[in-house]
Amino acid sequence: MATTPLIAVTLENADAVYRYYAEHQQPRWKSRFAYFYLARTYRPRVGFDGDARGMIAALVRSGVPMVICANHLTDRDQFILAATAWRSTLRPRIGHTRVLAKDELFVDPGQRAKIDMMGGIPVFRAKNHDTRTAVAAGRQMIDICVERAAATGDSIAIFPEGTRNENPAVLLPIASGVGHIGSGIARRTPVALVSIGIAYPDASCRDAEVVIGEPRTIAATDKPAVITRTVRVDLQHAVDLARDRLAGRADHPRSR
């Protein structure tokens, strides 16, 4: 459990907020139950590209942290990502994965408790705050992600488009933060990049097609811009595969 008091998640409190999340520990068994419940509720159909299943299982066994990237289509994507973890070789990482989430989700106490339980770390987006202050807070957030991955082996889950995409076929520009997180971790410890593509048959978000791509090792010498471009290519490929699987289903001949 965290040793620092629970405080309001506001940009003005950013220093204290990130001190809190530097120490915060998820209740692992409660997290596992929540992920199980979400898997039962949303029932994503999880597939793997190439040798991804075995490669990810090997990473999990070796304890190598992952930077997990998924496309962002709805406000339920985090639930689908959690359900995917339960229904895949990522399941052992439940309780050891931090998920970046916008700061508004931490305002309501009840909702914050759930997000904290599932490993949330708040992100103060520049479009919603004073740009200079938000950028400074963003650097702190990146440092916390790097420290948690290097010190505790936590994986980091990110929706790198940064906002919901109205066009499910083509990714929005990828925010540079994912490159800085991947680069920072790689300078401290081995780390792999995993892309997860999601395609929904309808607005309920149930029975989504999800494809987990083959993990890619991030080298200690890789620059943030190179990692960001790699995320763009790998994640778009995973999205294309997920949409192809959805289009091939008899019950849903077209993706949304």
Side-chain angles (χ1 to χ4, degrees), residues 6-78:
L6 189 67
I7 62 165
V9 175
T10 64
L11 185 56
E12 293 73 22
N13 285 338
D15 290 346
V17 166
Y18 288 120
R19 282 196 300 271
Y20 176 83
Y21 285 99
E23 299 178 2
H24 177 263
Q25 298 296 324
Q26 297 169 257
R28 190 174 182 215
W29 290 106
K30 190 179 290 187
S31 296
R32 286 176 66 86
F33 177 79
Y35 280 53
F36 163 75
Y37 173 79
L38 290 168
R40 287 278 305 267
T41 300
Y42 288 100
R43 306 180 304 273
R45 305 186 186 192
V46 181
F48 294 85
D49 181 28
D51 296 326
R53 185 194 301 269
M55 295 169 72
I56 290 171
L59 289 171
V60 169
R61 288 194 299 270
S62 65
V64 171
M66 290 170 266
V67 177
I68 300 167
C69 299
N71 57 316
H72 194 9
L73 300 172
T74 79
D75 59 1
R76 300 184 192 178
D77 294 337
Q78 68 271 24

Side-chain angles (χ1 to χ4, degrees), residues 114-180:
K114 295 175 183 176
I115 293 175
D116 280 358
M117 178 265 294
M118 297 184 70
I121 293 179
V123 179
F124 298 99
R125 298 183 297 180
K127 71 176 187 176
N128 298 331
H129 299 283
D130 171 71
T131 299
R132 181 176 298 180
T133 309
V135 167
R139 287 194 290 267
Q140 290 180 283
M141 179 271 295
I142 290 169
D143 289 344
I144 292 302
C145 291
V146 170
E147 182 60 28
R148 293 205 67 108
T152 69
D154 282 352
S155 293
I156 309 296
I158 305 173
F159 296 99
E161 292 168 284
T163 191
R164 282 178 284 179
N165 187 355
E166 298 297 327
N167 178 3
V170 181
L171 294 174
L172 294 171
I174 301 300
S176 63
V178 65
H180 289 283

